[in-house]
């Protein structure tokens, strides 16, 4: 083959001047340190990002649990409101407050005339309130822990039998009023 190469000519000569032909003069240590620092910084950044995401997920779970609790509480309160807003509950509460059903309403017309016959709401007779009596034991007794006659004194002419204080059912119905229409 050819023993010696001659000088490069043309395009090869120009390329030969751009690329050094000897050992590399650039120091490799700064480049290696730069690559190691970039990799280490990237790993630390990923670790911090992962920790922040985990902390956020714990906070999110706590907030979801709290939302569930508040939703359950809201539903329970709404059930209470709905139960208290039922017509029978309103009527019972109004009677407890001493309110009575109103009579026929009267209206004022645009010309000032009274339409209908106004009536006063009649107050029904107050029914006696039932008193709470102690429940009977299954053996027919009063459920008192003390035996009959032990440590109890009765006045002459009184009995020791329990008295019934339940009111008699009210059989009188309120009289309806007519509006005269």
């Amino acid at each position: 083959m050819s023993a010696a190469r001659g000088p490069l000519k043309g395009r090869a000569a120009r390329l030969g001047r751009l690329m050094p032909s000897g050992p590399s003069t650039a120091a490799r240590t700064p480049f290696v340190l730069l690559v190691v620092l970039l990799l280490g910084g990237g790993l630390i950044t990923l670790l911090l990002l992962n920790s922040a995401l985990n902390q956020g997920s714990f906070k999110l779970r706590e907030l979801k649990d709290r939302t569930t609790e508040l939703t359950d509480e809201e539903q329970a309160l709404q059930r209470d409101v709905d139960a208290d807003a039922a017509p029978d509950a309103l009527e019972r509460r109004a009677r407890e407050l001493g309110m009575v059903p109103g009579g026929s309403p009267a209206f004022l017309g645009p010309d000032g005339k009274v339409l209908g016959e106004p009536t006063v709401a009649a107050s029904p007779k107050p029914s006696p309130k039932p008193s709470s009596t102690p429940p009977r034991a299954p053996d027919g007794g009063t459920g008192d822990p003390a035996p009959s006659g032990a440590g109890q004194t009765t006045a002459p002419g009184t009995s020791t039998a329990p008295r019934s204080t339940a009111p008699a059912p009210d059989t009188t119905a309120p009289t309806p009023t007519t509006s005269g229409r």
Side-chain angles (χ1 to χ4, degrees), residues 46-131:
L46 285 175
L47 178 66
L48 292 175
L49 183 62
N50 193 18
S51 297
L53 287 174
N54 283 337
Q55 185 179 7
S57 69
F58 286 134
K59 183 70 174 173
L60 180 65
R61 184 72 210 156
E62 288 175 9
L63 290 174
K64 282 183 178 179
D65 290 343
R66 182 70 178 140
T67 301
T68 302
E69 290 173 12
L70 291 175
T71 302
D72 292 344
E73 183 179 346
E74 178 190 17
Q75 289 174 352
L77 291 172
Q78 188 63 43
R79 276 193 307 268
D80 292 344
V81 167
D82 291 343
D84 289 342
D88 58 336
L90 289 174
E91 179 184 8
R92 181 179 22 82
R93 182 70 178 133
R95 288 193 189 277
E96 289 173 0
L97 293 173
M99 300 173 81
V100 295
S104 298
F107 301 96
L108 290 176
D111 56 353
K113 290 186 180 179
V114 177
L115 302 174
E117 228 176 275
T119 58
V120 178
S123 176
K125 296 178 185 177
S127 61
K129 293 191 177 192
S131 64

